[in-house]
Amino acid sequence: MGANASAAPAPTAGPSRTKKAGLTMLTRLLTQLVGIIISFAITPALVAGLGAELYGAWQVIQRIMSHLAVGHFKPMSVLKLTLAHRQSDPDVAAKRRQVGASLMVWLAALPLVLGLGALALWFLERLIPVAPELRDGVFIAMSIAVFIVALTPLAGAPMGVLKGQNLEYRAMGAQPTVKLLAYGVIYALVVMGFGLPWVVAAYGGQIFVVGALCYWIARRHVSWLGVARPSREEFRGFFRLNLWSLLSAFIQQVFRGGDLILISMTLGPALVTVYTLTRAAMHRTIEPIIALFNAGLPGMGELVGAGDLQRAAQVRLEMVRALLFSAGVVGCVVLLLNEAFLAVWVGAKFYGGDLLTLLLVLTVTIGALTRVEEILIDSALQLKHKSLFQAGAGAAFIGGFLLLQPHLGLMAAPLCLLCAHGAVLLLYMWLNARTLGEPFGAFVRPQIAPLAMALTLLLLCRWALPEPAIAGWGGLFAYGVLLTPAFAVAAWFLVLRAEDRKRLKKRLGRLRK
């Protein structure tokens, strides 16, 4: 992003805020759906080609990569937030200085990331205890992963600018197309007998290709795009936000990937495979929904930055109820069909059992609610309190897992995660109530009934309905087509109130236009 970026052509009048939100949501949804469909398609080949141990190792390496990325202080995440908060600010030089501050943070943190990567390699045999003949391949794969993590923020800067300016929809075709190609390469590599290092390299390659495409798009549509040296005060302010973002991101990784590392260390990579495959249907179906909500973060940031707290509160409540509706429908289908789905998809031996499925469905649901609350917290730049809340819950999760794992085995992970997510959710709601200037009781009351109905629907589905006997993809598809609309109708009337249904219909109508 050169200093002469100001010479880029000025953008033409763009779409309205509602249209931008709709296009951004469509971009996120398209990217997520491509990833989910292709991932589901190639997972059986990965499990068969790599084996249970190496597939579990690959899952753990991805989580370690996420943990290592925290060492960068997440500058591009903070850049997205600060630019979103400054959308209406005409001072383009200040925006360039924010980009400069993010790159300075990345360069300053680079030695730390490389040091953490070296530490991960040193303790790799304890983190991923595979058979001796597999250790060299895992070590090479992890070394490639460290190199990818070290350069990822640089590749992510253009996307950070696009997201902060609410222009992510401009990259609508880039991300899903590159993801499709990357998964195709991974599939071909595994089928041809190439090992885990090649899989990691292909996985990382998509990051840099997307970064290059986003830079080209940003040059065309962000007239102020460029880099300027920030003042000392601006850098300190940006860095303070990064410090809290660092702590927040680290604890998020504990919640979103630490369970796999702990399971690998205590129970072995093979059980990581069982755990991730049992969770896959619920987790991968909810992720696109969360991505849709996260697409509204720049718009929420603009509302909070402009002081329109009443509108921000209404949007947040709509997202919470829509999430509960979606999680209720998806969770019911997963509870009934997960065993049959895994038997057809990768083999019945990878199913972790009905109790594990129920705990994972509840964990994913409550965890998704915390991520909806985070949207308002991040928009208000309340990173300090968010980080402290997460740190306490993360420590409790790790301590609880280590205490309960000898007695409960694999079940300790979702049970402890569920308790930790529940505690964080309550603390987040308290923080958001304070941000919006509402009493905590009045803030929480409108979502008690939808949450209770969604959980009741899940529990009734688990114990009141028999699991169907299914053979083959045809039977699975037929049951899915029958059950999903039925649960959707039930959730539509039980979870959503009349005013929610009216607002949702109106919003969908606007997006169609």
Side-chain angles (χ1 to χ4, degrees):
M1 285 179 277
N4 64 345
S6 58
T12 58
S16 65
R17 179 194 297 172
T18 302
K19 193 70 173 180
K20 282 184 178 181
L23 290 171
T24 302
M25 288 181 178
L26 181 60
T27 301
R28 296 276 182 100
L29 181 61
L30 183 61
T31 303
Q32 290 283 338
L33 286 178
V34 168
I36 289 171
I37 293 171
I38 302 301
S39 178
F40 271 125
I42 71 170
T43 293
L46 287 176
V47 174
L50 296 177
E53 271 197 290
L54 282 183
Y55 181 81
W58 167 225
Q59 297 298 308
V60 176
I61 286 174
Q62 292 181 75
R63 300 318 184 274
I64 294 176
M65 291 174 71
S66 299
H67 283 69
L68 291 178
V70 174
H72 284 300
F73 293 79
K74 308 294 282 187
M76 301 313 156
S77 297
V78 175
L79 175 64
K80 173 186 66 177
L81 298 178
T82 57
L83 290 180
H85 207 69
R86 291 172 175 261
Q87 276 185 75
S88 56
D89 188 349
D91 189 351
V92 297
K95 295 179 181 180
R96 291 193 185 104
R97 291 196 296 271
Q98 290 294 302
V99 178
S102 69
L103 294 176
M104 288 176 64
V105 170
W106 166 64
L107 287 172
L110 190 56
L112 174 61
V113 173
L114 294 175
L116 292 173
L119 198 63
L121 290 169
W122 183 265
F123 290 103
L124 191 60
E125 289 186 16
R126 297 190 64 181
L127 293 171
I128 309 177
V130 296
E133 64 272 14
L134 302 177
R135 289 174 186 167
D136 288 345
V138 172
F139 183 87
I140 296 172
M142 190 69 236
S143 301
I144 297 171
V146 171
F147 174 78
I148 292 169
V149 171
L151 297 180
T152 293
L154 183 62
M159 178 55 82
V161 172
L162 290 175
K163 287 181 177 179
Q165 293 299 111
N166 209 4
L167 294 172
E168 184 184 355
Y169 66 91
R170 296 289 186 182
M172 181 181 294
Q175 290 177 294
T177 301
V178 173
K179 189 178 285 289
L180 178 63
L181 293 174
Y183 277 118
V185 170
I186 290 172
Y187 177 81
L189 289 171
V190 172
V191 169
M192 290 188 295
F194 288 88
L196 185 58
W198 293 90
V199 172
V200 176
Y203 176 82
Q206 66 177 312
I207 296 171
F208 303 108
V209 175
V210 169
L213 290 173
C214 288
Y215 174 69
W216 178 75
I217 294 168
R219 290 274 295 183
R220 289 171 55 87
H221 298 288
V222 181
S223 60
W224 60 262
L225 185 69
V227 180
R229 186 180 183 88
S231 66
R232 183 173 297 181
E233 291 74 20
E234 286 176 317
F235 179 76
R236 285 177 177 173
F238 192 92
F239 190 71
R240 274 196 298 270
L241 287 175
N242 273 268
L243 285 176
W244 293 117
S245 180
L246 167 68
L247 179 58
S248 173
F250 178 76
I251 302 302
Q252 284 178 356
Q253 296 308 323
V254 171
F255 284 134
R256 298 174 192 173
D259 50 347
L260 302 191
I261 295 176
L262 289 172
I263 292 169
S264 175
M265 294 174 64
T266 56
L267 300 170
L271 277 181
V272 172
T273 299
V274 172
Y275 183 85
T276 55
L277 293 177
T278 303
R279 183 183 64 178
M282 183 68 184
H283 178 70
R284 294 180 183 175
T285 308
I286 288 295
E287 279 300 312
I289 299 170
I290 297 297
L292 289 179
F293 294 149
N294 282 332
L297 190 147
M300 181 73 83
E302 188 175 359
L303 290 173
V304 175
D308 192 356
L309 298 184
Q310 183 176 1
R311 177 61 179 155
Q314 179 184 335
V315 172
R316 173 210 156 266
L317 188 57
E318 288 178 10
M319 288 193 293
V320 168
R321 289 175 175 165
L323 185 278
L324 288 172
F325 165 77
S326 304
V329 175
V330 174
C332 287
V333 175
V334 169
L335 285 172
L336 281 179
L337 301 183
N338 201 33
E339 183 176 7
F341 167 70
L342 285 173
V344 176
W345 184 37
V346 291
K349 65 180 180 180
F350 294 108
Y351 181 60
D354 293 346
L355 179 58
L356 180 63
T357 299
L358 175 62
L359 289 174
L360 288 172
V361 166
L362 295 176
T363 299
V364 171
T365 300
I366 301 300
L369 282 173
T370 66
R371 294 171 68 180
V372 171
E373 297 291 345
E374 282 179 3
I375 295 172
L376 178 56
I377 293 173
D378 290 343
S379 299
L381 300 181
Q382 294 276 7
L383 302 184
K384 176 180 178 180
H385 291 89
K386 169 186 167 182
S387 304
L388 294 175
F389 295 159
Q390 289 178 332
F397 161 66
I398 295 173
F401 176 85
L402 295 176
L403 181 67
L404 296 178
Q405 182 274 322
H407 308 285
L408 300 180
L410 192 59
M411 301 298 171
L415 183 61
C416 293
L417 267 183
L418 181 61
C419 295
H421 281 314
V424 169
L425 180 61
L426 290 174
L427 292 169
Y428 278 2
M429 289 192 293
W430 173 81
L431 182 58
N432 280 334
R434 195 177 72 164
T435 298
L436 297 173
E438 297 183 17
F440 181 69
F443 180 82
V444 173
R445 196 172 299 117
Q447 60 201 69
I448 291 178
L451 177 59
M453 293 307 300
L455 294 177
T456 301
L457 191 62
L458 290 173
L459 295 176
L460 285 176
C461 175
R462 170 63 189 87
W463 279 296
L465 298 178
E467 293 183 6
I470 298 174
W473 286 109
L476 191 65
F477 178 78
Y479 269 101
V481 168
L482 290 173
L483 292 175
T484 301
F487 289 131
V489 170
W492 182 259
F493 290 102
L494 293 176
V495 177
L496 299 178
R497 298 190 303 186
E499 61 187 62
D500 299 324
R501 298 193 290 269
K502 184 178 179 180
R503 283 195 186 123
L504 188 57
K505 289 178 182 177
K506 187 176 180 181
R507 189 172 294 275
L508 291 174
R510 286 177 181 172
L511 292 178
R512 281 197 299 268
K513 296 177 184 178

